[in-house]
Amino acid sequence: MKFTGVFYFYPMGKIILNNIRIFAFHGCLVEESKIGSDYLVNLTVNTDLNTSAVSDNLYDTVDYVHLNQIIKEEMAIRSALLEHVAKRILDRIFNKATTVTYAEVSVSKLNPPIGGDVEAVTIVMEQNR
């Protein structure tokens, strides 16, 4: 059997930001809005990196400095739930970085006030274009 169709290959790449440490004021408890807590944010985005790999030009890629800035700005806006702040981060990335086809963000609250010896509580959300 002979194949007569056309294959389109869109090579992708990943940009990963690991363990972005941020102090913020998220949580449902009133105390959390006053004393704050430490958070770790991780982000992975899929995008085509081939053009920038050849051109060596920052304008041909997704700038990880810009991704980090989005995370810092969204983490600075208080939310009761980690899911809410993660969704805002994803929405902004897809709005500002038009070549991103997939993103996954994890937000971890370190030493959460849940009445036990817990290192962190983490939520993970992902989104496709």
Side-chain angles (χ1 to χ4, degrees):
M1 176 180 263
K2 183 178 175 186
F3 178 76
T4 59
V6 177
F7 281 109
Y8 292 101
F9 178 65
Y10 298 102
M12 299 301 290
K14 293 181 186 293
I15 298 174
I16 302 170
L17 284 74
N18 286 317
N19 295 327
I20 303 165
R21 186 178 276 274
I22 298 175
F23 188 83
F25 296 89
H26 305 299
C28 295
L29 302 176
V30 174
E31 295 83 11
E32 293 174 301
S33 69
K34 295 178 181 177
I35 61 173
S37 186
D38 287 314
Y39 294 82
L40 284 180
V41 179
N42 293 285
L43 175 68
T44 299
V45 299
N46 289 0
T47 188
D48 183 352
L49 297 177
N50 287 304
T51 302
S52 59
V54 172
S55 73
D56 197 27
N57 189 328
L58 179 61
Y59 297 105
D60 291 332
T61 192
V62 177
D63 186 351
Y64 55 79
V65 172
H66 186 230
L67 295 174
N68 185 58
Q69 187 63 35
I70 289 171
I71 291 167
K72 288 175 19 182
E73 289 172 2
E74 293 302 326
M75 287 294 291
I77 302 168
R78 177 165 162 59
S79 292
L81 300 178
L82 298 180
E83 296 90 323
H84 188 254
V85 70
K87 178 66 172 142
R88 287 198 324 265
I89 291 168
L90 290 170
D91 287 346
R92 266 204 59 207
I93 288 168
F94 277 88
N95 186 31
K96 298 293 184 183
T98 58
T99 62
V100 170
T101 59
Y102 167 85
E104 178 181 284
V105 64
S106 68
V107 180
S108 300
K109 179 183 279 193
L110 305 180
N111 302 310
I114 60 174
D117 186 14
V118 178
E119 181 179 345
V121 172
T122 303
I123 64 96
V124 179
M125 293 183 71
E126 58 187 337
Q127 186 170 320
N128 289 295
R129 185 174 305 277

